Amino acid sequence: MTTPTIVLVHGAFADAGSWAPVTRQLLDQGHAVLVPPVPNRSLSGDAEYIRRFVEQIEGPVLLAGHSYGGAVITVAGAAENVVGLVYVSGYALVEGESLGQLQGGFPDSDLAANLVYQPYTLPDGSDGTDVSVKIDAFPAVFAAGVDVRTAEVFAVSQRPLSALAFGEAASVAAWRTKPAWGIVSSSDHTINPEVERFGYQRAGVRAVVEIDAPHLVMQTHPVEVAKVITDAIAELD
């Protein structure tokens, strides 16, 4: 099989730059890597955006999704040229399940008490709600383990997630037909690590790697994250 292009999908409250250390690792190893922006407007819309992006790539694609990006690749991964999925501190949903439903089965993380809700206008003129993390709580809750000065920059340049995305159900679970791998951040304060473990177990991922890391494991442990991705590629060959 042709070596897959690796598409790295960011999650809520972050952007493509959150993947930068892993992107650098993979590029240095000679892999083809793309890191598209995710609109963070709705699960169905975000998944469709990533799916269309992936379908323009010639040859096979390995999708890696961080956090909310895990939910996105669960749906977008149904694209025909996607050959595998890697969940990084992510949500592995089942068909008909929303982020809120999956999270609701477990105790809240520190994130729940540190969210900010701001109105915005939807394309049809109605009101929507953007969700972000309190700026002063962001370094500890979302970017623990990241250099404080860097975390402060991330905090003031968040990419909010529309509240619509929390309640929208996944239309498909690509892991039913595509092999998957998972990373659990065991010191995660954004997603309860049990949510990650449960989703991966239910999805029957081929291997689960536990890293004593915070939510932004791509920033704090890029070598380990890159290795899970490249190991997945090697297993696909």
Side-chain angles (χ1 to χ4, degrees):
M1 183 180 71
T2 303
T3 301
T5 296
I6 301 166
V7 174
L8 305 175
V9 180
H10 69 79
F13 322 131
D15 60 19
S18 63
W19 279 103
V22 172
T23 304
R24 183 71 266 166
Q25 289 282 326
L26 296 171
L27 288 173
D28 288 347
Q29 294 173 30
H31 293 282
V33 186
L34 292 169
V35 196
V38 181
N40 284 0
R41 298 295 81 190
S42 69
L43 179 55
S44 59
D46 295 339
E48 180 62 19
Y49 182 90
I50 295 300
R51 178 172 180 155
R52 292 293 298 273
F53 180 89
V54 163
E55 289 174 339
Q56 307 308 308
I57 299 171
E58 185 175 351
V61 168
L62 179 74
L63 279 176
H66 173 248
S67 191
Y68 168 66
V72 173
I73 69 169
T74 296
V75 180
E80 187 174 344
N81 60 328
V82 171
V83 294
L85 311 168
V86 178
Y87 290 92
V88 180
S89 312
Y91 295 99
L93 301 177
V94 70
E95 305 95 330
E97 181 180 56
S98 68
L99 293 178
Q101 288 173 322
L102 177 54
Q103 287 191 149
F106 299 87
D108 285 341
S109 69
D110 294 340
L111 178 69
N114 289 285
L115 294 175
V116 177
Y117 302 89
Q118 295 178 312
Y120 74 96
T121 303
L122 292 163
D124 64 4
S126 61
D127 290 335
T129 302
D130 261 341
V131 184
S132 59
V133 184
K134 291 177 182 177
I135 290 175
D136 60 352
F138 190 98
V141 172
F142 193 83
V146 176
D147 174 77
V148 173
R149 289 172 58 83
T150 300
E152 289 173 346
V153 173
F154 289 163
V156 298
S157 55
Q158 296 178 54
R159 194 179 188 101
L161 180 66
S162 172
L164 291 172
F166 287 97
E168 190 173 8
S171 59
V172 64
W175 48 258
R176 292 198 183 277
T177 56
K178 312 290 175 77
W181 293 260
I183 294 175
V184 172
S185 292
S186 60
S187 297
D188 201 329
H189 292 282
T190 300
I191 300 176
N192 184 333
E194 290 300 326
V195 173
E196 301 166 21
R197 295 184 184 105
F198 173 80
Y200 301 164
Q201 181 180 23
R202 184 176 58 179
V205 302
R206 291 192 177 186
V208 176
V209 176
E210 294 252 353
I211 301 176
D212 183 12
H215 190 60
L216 283 180
V217 61
M218 314 93 72
Q219 289 280 321
T220 61
H221 293 72
V223 173
E224 292 90 333
V225 173
K227 184 176 187 303
V228 172
I229 292 170
T230 55
D231 283 353
I233 288 175
E235 195 170 335
L236 288 168
D237 289 344

